[in-house]
Amino acid sequence: KKKDARKKHNVAFRKSNEKYLDLTFSKGLYAIKVVKSATELVREAAKMHNCAGGYVNDVIKGNSVIFTIKRTDHPRTAFYML
């Protein structure tokens, strides 16, 4: 049941965010991109010890869009979220 709920959240999250998915920017040491799934948001927020993971429902409702800023020399590690 947890897995089904997570899947539904990810589908709703992606649907709500799809119009922003092309908003990516990279210059020099930094790249900015839209978080693509609820799972990604929760994981990245946990790694960074911030509260952004609590915004899943806000994104699904269309009230928020969350971006990650990553260093291009460490693309697997989020540097900042906004």
Side-chain angles (χ1 to χ4, degrees):
K1 289 184 180 186
K2 238 183 192 181
K3 194 174 185 179
D4 289 338
R6 197 172 343 173
K7 186 176 180 180
K8 284 181 184 178
H9 267 112
N10 282 326
V11 168
F13 191 100
R14 187 164 182 91
K15 185 176 181 181
S16 178
N17 255 1
E18 65 188 353
K19 62 185 165 218
Y20 305 110
L21 292 178
D22 291 335
L23 294 178
T24 2
F25 176 78
S26 182
K27 183 164 181 154
L29 282 177
Y30 301 99
I32 301 171
K33 72 175 193 94
V34 173
V35 175
K36 294 181 180 178
S37 72
T39 300
E40 178 186 1
L41 176 57
V42 170
R43 284 184 184 155
E44 293 287 346
K47 284 185 207 174
M48 297 180 71
H49 305 285
N50 68 33
C51 65
Y55 285 87
V56 169
N57 288 325
D58 289 311
V59 173
I60 290 171
K61 291 176 186 174
N63 296 329
S64 297
V65 178
I66 308 290
F67 294 84
T68 58
I69 300 175
K70 297 184 179 190
R71 288 182 54 119
T72 54
D73 57 345
H74 296 287
R76 296 182 67 145
T77 305
F79 174 70
Y80 192 78
M81 296 181 100
L82 59 120

Coordinates of all heavy atoms in Angstrom, one line a residue:
K1 N 0.8 -1.2 0.0 CA 0.0 0.0 0.0 C 0.9 1.3 0.0 O 0.5 2.2 -0.6 CB -0.9 0.0 1.2 CG -2.0 -1.0 1.1 CD -3.0 -0.9 2.2 CE -4.1 -1.9 2.1 NZ -5.1 -1.8 3.1
K2 N 2.0 1.2 0.8 CA 2.9 2.4 0.8 C 3.4 2.7 -0.6 O 3.5 3.8 -1.0 CB 4.0 2.1 1.8 CG 4.1 3.1 2.9 CD 5.3 2.8 3.7 CE 5.3 3.6 5.0 NZ 6.4 3.4 5.8
K3 N 3.8 1.6 -1.3 CA 4.4 1.7 -2.6 C 3.4 2.3 -3.6 O 3.7 3.1 -4.4 CB 4.9 0.3 -3.1 CG 5.8 0.4 -4.2 CD 6.3 -1.0 -4.5 CE 7.3 -1.0 -5.7 NZ 7.9 -2.3 -6.0
D4 N 2.1 1.8 -3.5 CA 1.1 2.4 -4.4 C 0.8 3.9 -4.1 O 0.7 4.6 -5.0 CB -0.2 1.6 -4.2 CG -0.2 0.2 -4.7 OD1 0.7 -0.1 -5.6 OD2 -1.0 -0.7 -4.3
A5 N 0.8 4.2 -2.8 CA 0.6 5.6 -2.5 C 1.8 6.5 -3.0 O 1.6 7.6 -3.5 CB 0.5 5.8 -1.0
R6 N 3.0 6.0 -2.9 CA 4.2 6.7 -3.4 C 4.1 6.9 -4.9 O 4.4 7.9 -5.4 CB 5.5 5.9 -3.0 CG 6.7 6.7 -3.1 CD 7.9 6.0 -2.5 NE 7.4 4.9 -1.7 CZ 8.2 4.0 -1.1 NH1 9.5 4.0 -1.3 NH2 7.7 3.0 -0.4
K7 N 3.7 5.8 -5.6 CA 3.6 5.9 -7.0 C 2.5 6.9 -7.4 O 2.8 7.7 -8.3 CB 3.2 4.5 -7.6 CG 3.2 4.4 -9.1 CD 2.9 3.0 -9.6 CE 2.9 3.0 -11.1 NZ 2.7 1.7 -11.6
K8 N 1.4 6.9 -6.7 CA 0.3 7.9 -7.0 C 0.9 9.4 -6.8 O 0.6 10.3 -7.6 CB -0.9 7.7 -6.2 CG -1.7 6.5 -6.6 CD -2.9 6.3 -5.8 CE -3.7 5.1 -6.2 NZ -4.8 4.8 -5.4
H9 N 1.6 9.5 -5.7 CA 2.2 10.8 -5.4 C 3.1 11.3 -6.5 O 3.1 12.4 -7.0 CB 3.0 10.9 -4.1 CG 2.1 11.3 -2.9 ND1 1.8 10.5 -1.9 CD2 1.6 12.5 -2.6 CE1 1.1 11.1 -1.1 NE2 1.0 12.4 -1.4
N10 N 4.0 10.3 -7.0 CA 4.9 10.6 -8.0 C 4.3 11.0 -9.4 O 4.7 11.9 -10.0 CB 5.9 9.5 -8.2 CG 7.0 9.5 -7.2 OD1 7.4 10.5 -6.7 ND2 7.5 8.3 -6.8
V11 N 3.2 10.3 -9.7 CA 2.4 10.5 -10.9 C 1.8 11.9 -10.8 O 1.9 12.7 -11.8 CB 1.4 9.4 -11.2 CG1 0.4 9.9 -12.3 CG2 2.1 8.1 -11.6
A12 N 1.1 12.2 -9.7 CA 0.5 13.5 -9.5 C 1.5 14.6 -9.5 O 1.3 15.7 -10.1 CB -0.3 13.5 -8.3
F13 N 2.6 14.4 -8.9 CA 3.7 15.4 -8.8 C 4.2 15.7 -10.2 O 4.4 16.9 -10.5 CB 4.8 14.8 -7.9 CG 5.9 15.8 -7.5 CD1 5.9 16.3 -6.2 CD2 7.0 16.1 -8.3 CE1 6.9 17.2 -5.8 CE2 7.9 16.9 -7.9 CZ 7.9 17.5 -6.7
R14 N 4.6 14.7 -10.9 CA 5.1 14.9 -12.3 C 4.1 15.6 -13.2 O 4.4 16.5 -13.9 CB 5.5 13.6 -12.9 CG 6.2 13.8 -14.2 CD 7.0 12.5 -14.6 NE 7.7 12.8 -15.8 CZ 9.0 13.2 -15.9 NH1 9.6 13.5 -14.8 NH2 9.5 13.4 -17.1
K15 N 2.8 15.2 -13.1 CA 1.8 15.9 -13.9 C 1.7 17.3 -13.5 O 1.6 18.2 -14.4 CB 0.4 15.2 -13.7 CG -0.7 15.7 -14.5 CD -1.9 14.9 -14.4 CE -3.0 15.5 -15.3 NZ -4.3 14.8 -15.2
S16 N 1.7 17.7 -12.3 CA 1.6 19.1 -11.8 C 2.9 19.9 -12.3 O 2.8 21.0 -12.6 CB 1.5 19.1 -10.3 OG 1.5 20.4 -9.9
N17 N 4.0 19.2 -12.4 CA 5.3 19.9 -12.7 C 5.6 19.8 -14.2 O 6.6 20.5 -14.5 CB 6.4 19.2 -11.9 CG 6.9 20.0 -10.7 OD1 6.3 21.1 -10.5 ND2 7.8 19.5 -10.0
E18 N 4.9 19.1 -15.0 CA 5.4 18.8 -16.3 C 5.6 20.1 -17.2 O 6.5 20.2 -18.0 CB 4.5 17.9 -17.1 CG 3.1 18.3 -17.3 CD 2.2 17.2 -17.9 OE1 2.7 16.1 -18.2 OE2 1.0 17.4 -18.0
K19 N 4.9 21.2 -16.9 CA 5.1 22.4 -17.7 C 6.4 23.1 -17.3 O 6.8 24.0 -18.0 CB 3.9 23.3 -17.5 CG 3.6 23.8 -16.1 CD 2.3 24.6 -16.1 CE 1.9 24.7 -14.6 NZ 0.5 24.7 -14.5
Y20 N 7.0 22.7 -16.2 CA 8.2 23.3 -15.7 C 9.5 22.5 -16.0 O 10.6 23.0 -15.8 CB 8.2 23.6 -14.2 CG 7.0 24.5 -13.8 CD1 5.9 23.9 -13.1 CD2 6.9 25.8 -14.2 CE1 4.9 24.7 -12.7 CE2 5.8 26.6 -13.8 CZ 4.8 26.0 -13.1 OH 3.7 26.8 -12.7
L21 N 9.3 21.3 -16.5 CA 10.4 20.3 -16.6 C 11.5 20.8 -17.5 O 12.7 20.4 -17.4 CB 9.9 18.9 -17.0 CG 9.1 18.2 -15.9 CD1 8.6 16.9 -16.4 CD2 9.9 18.1 -14.6
D22 N 11.2 21.6 -18.5 CA 12.2 22.2 -19.4 C 13.0 23.4 -18.8 O 13.9 23.8 -19.5 CB 11.6 22.5 -20.7 CG 11.1 21.3 -21.5 OD1 11.6 20.2 -21.3 OD2 10.2 21.5 -22.3
L23 N 12.6 23.8 -17.7 CA 13.2 25.0 -17.1 C 14.5 24.5 -16.4 O 14.6 24.2 -15.2 CB 12.3 25.6 -16.0 CG 11.1 26.3 -16.5 CD1 10.3 26.9 -15.4 CD2 11.5 27.4 -17.5
T24 N 15.5 24.4 -17.2 CA 16.9 24.0 -16.7 C 17.8 25.0 -17.1 O 17.7 25.6 -18.2 CB 17.3 22.6 -17.2 OG1 16.4 22.1 -18.1 CG2 17.5 21.6 -16.1
F25 N 18.8 25.3 -16.3 CA 19.8 26.3 -16.6 C 21.1 25.8 -16.0 O 21.2 25.3 -14.9 CB 19.4 27.6 -15.9 CG 20.4 28.7 -16.1 CD1 20.5 29.4 -17.3 CD2 21.3 29.0 -15.1 CE1 21.5 30.4 -17.5 CE2 22.3 30.0 -15.2 CZ 22.4 30.7 -16.4
S26 N 22.2 26.0 -16.8 CA 23.5 25.6 -16.4 C 24.5 26.6 -16.9 O 24.5 27.0 -18.0 CB 23.8 24.2 -16.9 OG 25.1 23.8 -16.4
K27 N 25.3 27.0 -15.9 CA 26.4 28.0 -16.3 C 27.5 27.8 -15.3 O 27.3 27.9 -14.1 CB 25.9 29.4 -16.3 CG 26.9 30.4 -16.7 CD 26.4 31.7 -17.1 CE 27.5 32.6 -17.5 NZ 27.1 33.6 -18.4
G28 N 28.7 27.6 -15.9 CA 29.9 27.5 -15.0 C 29.7 26.3 -14.0 O 29.5 25.2 -14.4
L29 N 29.8 26.6 -12.8 CA 29.8 25.5 -11.7 C 28.5 25.1 -11.3 O 28.4 24.1 -10.5 CB 30.6 26.0 -10.5 CG 32.1 26.0 -10.6 CD1 32.7 26.6 -9.3 CD2 32.6 24.6 -10.8
Y30 N 27.4 25.7 -11.8 CA 26.1 25.4 -11.2 C 25.0 25.1 -12.3 O 25.1 25.6 -13.4 CB 25.6 26.6 -10.4 CG 26.5 26.9 -9.2 CD1 27.4 27.9 -9.3 CD2 26.5 26.1 -8.1 CE1 28.3 28.2 -8.3 CE2 27.4 26.4 -7.0 CZ 28.3 27.4 -7.2 OH 29.2 27.7 -6.1
A31 N 24.1 24.2 -11.9 CA 23.0 23.8 -12.7 C 21.7 23.9 -11.9 O 21.7 23.4 -10.7 CB 23.2 22.4 -13.3
I32 N 20.7 24.4 -12.5 CA 19.4 24.5 -11.8 C 18.4 23.7 -12.6 O 18.3 23.8 -13.8 CB 18.9 26.0 -11.7 CG1 19.9 26.9 -11.0 CG2 17.5 26.1 -11.1 CD1 19.7 28.4 -11.1
K33 N 17.6 22.9 -11.8 CA 16.6 22.1 -12.5 C 15.4 21.9 -11.6 O 15.5 22.0 -10.4 CB 17.2 20.7 -13.0 CG 17.4 19.8 -11.9 CD 17.9 18.4 -12.4 CE 17.8 17.4 -11.3 NZ 16.6 16.6 -11.2
V34 N 14.3 21.6 -12.2 CA 13.1 21.3 -11.4 C 13.1 19.9 -10.9 O 13.6 19.0 -11.6 CB 11.8 21.4 -12.4 CG1 10.6 21.0 -11.6 CG2 11.7 22.9 -12.8
V35 N 12.7 19.7 -9.6 CA 12.6 18.4 -9.1 C 11.5 17.6 -9.8 O 10.4 18.1 -9.9 CB 12.3 18.5 -7.5 CG1 12.1 17.1 -6.9 CG2 13.5 19.2 -6.8
K36 N 11.8 16.4 -10.2 CA 10.9 15.7 -11.1 C 9.9 14.7 -10.4 O 8.9 14.4 -11.0 CB 11.7 14.9 -12.1 CG 12.5 15.7 -13.1 CD 13.2 14.9 -14.1 CE 14.0 15.8 -15.0 NZ 14.8 15.1 -16.0
S37 N 10.2 14.3 -9.2 CA 9.2 13.4 -8.5 C 9.2 13.7 -7.0 O 10.1 14.3 -6.5 CB 9.7 12.0 -8.8 OG 10.9 11.7 -8.0
A38 N 8.1 13.2 -6.4 CA 8.0 13.4 -5.0 C 9.1 12.6 -4.3 O 9.6 13.1 -3.3 CB 6.6 12.8 -4.5
T39 N 9.4 11.5 -4.8 CA 10.5 10.7 -4.2 C 11.8 11.4 -4.2 O 12.6 11.5 -3.2 CB 10.6 9.3 -4.9 OG1 9.4 8.6 -4.8 CG2 11.8 8.5 -4.3
E40 N 12.1 12.0 -5.4 CA 13.4 12.8 -5.5 C 13.4 14.0 -4.5 O 14.4 14.3 -3.8 CB 13.5 13.4 -6.9 CG 14.7 14.2 -7.1 CD 14.8 14.9 -8.5 OE1 13.9 14.7 -9.3 OE2 15.8 15.6 -8.7
L41 N 12.2 14.7 -4.4 CA 12.1 15.8 -3.5 C 12.4 15.4 -2.0 O 13.2 16.0 -1.3 CB 10.8 16.5 -3.6 CG 10.5 17.6 -2.6 CD1 11.5 18.7 -2.7 CD2 9.1 18.2 -2.8
V42 N 11.7 14.3 -1.6 CA 11.9 13.8 -0.2 C 13.3 13.4 0.0 O 13.9 13.7 1.1 CB 10.9 12.7 0.1 CG1 11.2 12.0 1.4 CG2 9.5 13.2 0.1
R43 N 13.9 12.6 -0.9 CA 15.3 12.2 -0.7 C 16.3 13.3 -0.7 O 17.2 13.3 0.2 CB 15.7 11.2 -1.9 CG 15.1 9.9 -1.7 CD 15.6 8.9 -2.8 NE 14.9 7.6 -2.6 CZ 14.7 6.8 -3.6 NH1 15.1 7.0 -4.8 NH2 14.1 5.6 -3.4
E44 N 16.2 14.2 -1.6 CA 17.1 15.4 -1.7 C 17.0 16.2 -0.4 O 18.0 16.7 0.2 CB 16.9 16.2 -2.9 CG 17.3 15.5 -4.2 CD 18.7 15.4 -4.4 OE1 19.6 16.0 -3.7 OE2 19.1 14.6 -5.3
A45 N 15.7 16.5 0.0 CA 15.5 17.3 1.3 C 16.1 16.6 2.5 O 16.7 17.2 3.3 CB 14.0 17.5 1.4
A46 N 16.0 15.3 2.5 CA 16.5 14.5 3.7 C 18.1 14.6 3.7 O 18.7 14.8 4.7 CB 16.1 13.0 3.6
K47 N 18.7 14.5 2.5 CA 20.1 14.6 2.4 C 20.6 16.0 2.9 O 21.7 16.1 3.4 CB 20.6 14.4 1.0 CG 20.6 13.0 0.5 CD 21.2 12.9 -0.9 CE 20.7 11.8 -1.7 NZ 21.2 11.8 -3.1
M48 N 19.8 17.0 2.5 CA 20.2 18.3 2.9 C 19.7 18.8 4.2 O 20.0 19.9 4.7 CB 19.7 19.3 1.8 CG 20.3 19.0 0.4 SD 19.7 20.1 -0.8 CE 20.5 21.6 -0.3
H49 N 19.0 17.9 4.9 CA 18.4 18.2 6.2 C 17.6 19.5 6.2 O 17.7 20.4 7.1 CB 19.5 18.4 7.3 CG 20.4 17.2 7.3 ND1 20.0 16.0 7.9 CD2 21.7 17.0 6.9 CE1 21.0 15.1 7.8 NE2 22.0 15.7 7.2
N50 N 16.7 19.6 5.2 CA 15.8 20.7 5.2 C 14.3 20.3 5.1 O 14.0 19.1 5.1 CB 16.1 21.7 4.0 CG 15.9 21.1 2.7 OD1 14.9 20.3 2.5 ND2 16.7 21.5 1.7
C51 N 13.4 21.2 5.1 CA 12.0 20.9 5.2 C 11.3 20.8 3.8 O 10.1 20.6 3.7 CB 11.3 22.0 6.0 SG 11.3 23.6 5.2
A52 N 12.0 20.9 2.7 CA 11.4 20.9 1.4 C 10.6 19.6 1.1 O 9.7 19.7 0.3 CB 12.5 21.1 0.3
G53 N 11.0 18.5 1.7 CA 10.2 17.3 1.5 C 8.8 17.4 2.0 O 7.9 16.7 1.5
G54 N 8.5 18.4 2.8 CA 7.1 18.6 3.3 C 6.3 19.4 2.3 O 5.1 19.6 2.5
Y55 N 6.8 19.7 1.1 CA 6.1 20.5 0.1 C 5.5 19.6 -1.0 O 5.0 20.2 -2.0 CB 7.0 21.6 -0.5 CG 7.2 22.7 0.5 CD1 8.2 22.7 1.4 CD2 6.3 23.8 0.5 CE1 8.4 23.8 2.3 CE2 6.5 24.9 1.3 CZ 7.5 24.8 2.3 OH 7.7 25.9 3.1
V56 N 5.6 18.3 -0.9 CA 5.0 17.4 -1.9 C 3.6 17.8 -2.3 O 3.3 17.9 -3.4 CB 5.2 15.9 -1.5 CG1 4.4 15.0 -2.4 CG2 6.6 15.5 -1.4
N57 N 2.7 17.9 -1.3 CA 1.3 18.2 -1.6 C 1.1 19.6 -2.2 O 0.3 19.8 -3.0 CB 0.5 18.0 -0.3 CG 0.3 16.5 0.0 OD1 0.2 15.7 -0.8 ND2 0.3 16.2 1.3
D58 N 2.0 20.5 -1.8 CA 1.9 21.9 -2.3 C 2.3 21.8 -3.8 O 1.6 22.5 -4.6 CB 2.8 22.8 -1.6 CG 2.3 23.2 -0.2 OD1 1.1 23.5 -0.1 OD2 3.1 23.1 0.7
V59 N 3.2 21.0 -4.2 CA 3.6 20.9 -5.6 C 2.5 20.2 -6.3 O 2.1 20.6 -7.4 CB 4.9 20.1 -5.8 CG1 5.2 19.8 -7.2 CG2 6.1 20.9 -5.1
I60 N 1.9 19.1 -5.8 CA 0.8 18.4 -6.4 C -0.4 19.3 -6.7 O -1.0 19.3 -7.7 CB 0.4 17.2 -5.6 CG1 1.6 16.1 -5.7 CG2 -0.9 16.6 -6.1 CD1 1.4 14.9 -4.7
K61 N -0.7 20.2 -5.7 CA -1.8 21.1 -5.8 C -1.5 22.3 -6.8 O -2.4 23.1 -7.1 CB -2.2 21.7 -4.4 CG -2.8 20.7 -3.5 CD -3.0 21.3 -2.2 CE -3.5 20.2 -1.2 NZ -3.5 20.8 0.2
G62 N -0.2 22.4 -7.2 CA 0.1 23.5 -8.1 C 0.5 24.8 -7.4 O 0.6 25.9 -8.0
N63 N 0.7 24.7 -6.1 CA 1.0 25.9 -5.3 C 2.5 26.2 -5.2 O 2.9 27.3 -4.8 CB 0.4 25.8 -3.8 CG -1.1 25.7 -3.8 OD1 -1.7 26.3 -4.7 ND2 -1.6 25.0 -2.9
S64 N 3.3 25.2 -5.5 CA 4.8 25.4 -5.4 C 5.5 24.6 -6.5 O 5.0 23.6 -7.0 CB 5.3 24.8 -4.1 OG 4.8 25.5 -3.0
V65 N 6.7 25.1 -6.8 CA 7.6 24.4 -7.7 C 8.9 24.4 -7.0 O 9.3 25.5 -6.5 CB 7.7 25.2 -9.1 CG1 8.7 24.4 -10.0 CG2 6.4 25.3 -9.8
I66 N 9.6 23.3 -6.9 CA 10.8 23.2 -6.2 C 11.9 22.9 -7.2 O 11.8 22.0 -8.1 CB 10.8 22.0 -5.2 CG1 9.6 22.1 -4.2 CG2 12.1 22.0 -4.4 CD1 9.6 23.3 -3.3
F67 N 13.0 23.6 -7.1 CA 14.2 23.5 -7.9 C 15.4 23.0 -7.1 O 15.4 23.3 -5.9 CB 14.6 24.9 -8.5 CG 13.6 25.4 -9.5 CD1 12.5 26.1 -9.0 CD2 13.8 25.2 -10.9 CE1 11.6 26.7 -9.9 CE2 12.8 25.7 -11.8 CZ 11.8 26.5 -11.3
T68 N 16.3 22.3 -7.7 CA 17.6 22.0 -7.0 C 18.7 22.8 -7.8 O 18.6 23.0 -9.0 CB 17.9 20.6 -7.1 OG1 18.0 20.1 -8.4 CG2 17.0 19.7 -6.3
I69 N 19.6 23.2 -7.0 CA 20.9 23.8 -7.6 C 22.0 22.8 -7.3 O 22.1 22.4 -6.1 CB 21.2 25.2 -7.0 CG1 20.0 26.1 -7.2 CG2 22.5 25.7 -7.6 CD1 20.2 27.5 -6.6
K70 N 22.6 22.3 -8.3 CA 23.7 21.4 -8.1 C 25.0 21.9 -8.7 O 25.0 22.7 -9.7 CB 23.4 20.0 -8.8 CG 22.2 19.4 -8.1 CD 21.9 18.0 -8.7 CE 20.7 17.4 -8.0 NZ 20.5 16.0 -8.3
R71 N 26.1 21.6 -8.2 CA 27.4 21.9 -8.8 C 27.6 21.0 -9.9 O 27.4 19.8 -9.8 CB 28.5 21.8 -7.7 CG 28.4 22.9 -6.7 CD 29.6 22.7 -5.7 NE 30.9 22.7 -6.4 CZ 31.8 23.5 -6.3 NH1 31.7 24.5 -5.4 NH2 33.0 23.4 -6.9
T72 N 28.1 21.5 -11.0 CA 28.3 20.7 -12.2 C 29.4 19.7 -12.0 O 29.4 18.7 -12.7 CB 28.6 21.6 -13.5 OG1 29.6 22.4 -13.2 CG2 27.3 22.3 -13.9
D73 N 30.3 20.0 -11.1 CA 31.4 19.0 -10.8 C 31.0 17.9 -9.8 O 31.7 17.0 -9.6 CB 32.7 19.7 -10.4 CG 32.5 20.6 -9.1 OD1 31.3 20.9 -8.8 OD2 33.5 21.0 -8.5
H74 N 29.8 18.1 -9.3 CA 29.2 17.1 -8.4 C 27.7 16.9 -8.7 O 26.8 17.3 -7.8 CB 29.4 17.4 -6.9 CG 30.8 17.5 -6.5 ND1 31.5 16.4 -6.2 CD2 31.6 18.6 -6.2 CE1 32.8 16.7 -5.9 NE2 32.8 18.1 -5.8
P75 N 27.3 16.5 -9.9 CA 25.9 16.5 -10.3 C 24.9 15.6 -9.5 O 23.7 15.8 -9.6 CB 26.0 16.1 -11.8 CG 27.3 15.4 -11.9 CD 28.2 15.9 -10.9
R76 N 25.4 14.7 -8.8 CA 24.5 13.8 -8.0 C 24.2 14.3 -6.7 O 23.4 13.8 -6.0 CB 25.2 12.4 -7.9 CG 25.4 11.8 -9.3 CD 25.9 10.4 -9.2 NE 24.9 9.6 -8.5 CZ 24.7 8.4 -8.8 NH1 25.4 7.7 -9.6 NH2 23.8 7.7 -8.1
T77 N 24.8 15.4 -6.3 CA 24.6 16.0 -4.9 C 24.0 17.4 -5.0 O 24.6 18.3 -5.6 CB 25.9 16.1 -4.2 OG1 26.5 14.8 -4.2 CG2 25.7 16.5 -2.7
A78 N 22.8 17.5 -4.4 CA 22.2 18.9 -4.4 C 23.0 19.8 -3.5 O 23.5 19.4 -2.5 CB 20.7 18.8 -3.9
F79 N 23.1 21.0 -4.0 CA 23.9 22.0 -3.3 C 22.9 22.9 -2.5 O 23.1 23.4 -1.5 CB 24.7 22.8 -4.3 CG 25.4 24.0 -3.8 CD1 26.5 23.9 -3.0 CD2 25.0 25.3 -4.2 CE1 27.2 25.0 -2.5 CE2 25.6 26.4 -3.7 CZ 26.7 26.3 -2.9
Y80 N 21.7 23.1 -3.1 CA 20.7 24.0 -2.6 C 19.4 23.7 -3.2 O 19.3 23.2 -4.3 CB 21.1 25.5 -2.9 CG 20.4 26.5 -2.1 CD1 20.7 26.8 -0.8 CD2 19.3 27.2 -2.7 CE1 20.0 27.7 0.0 CE2 18.6 28.2 -1.9 CZ 19.0 28.4 -0.6 OH 18.3 29.4 0.1
M81 N 18.3 24.0 -2.5 CA 16.9 23.8 -3.0 C 16.2 25.2 -2.9 O 16.4 25.9 -1.9 CB 16.1 22.8 -2.3 CG 16.8 21.4 -2.4 SD 15.8 20.2 -1.5 CE 14.9 19.5 -2.9
L82 N 15.3 25.5 -3.9 CA 14.5 26.6 -3.8 C 13.2 26.4 -4.4 O 13.0 25.5 -5.2 CB 15.2 27.9 -4.4 CG 15.6 27.8 -5.8 CD1 14.8 28.9 -6.6 CD2 17.1 28.0 -6.0

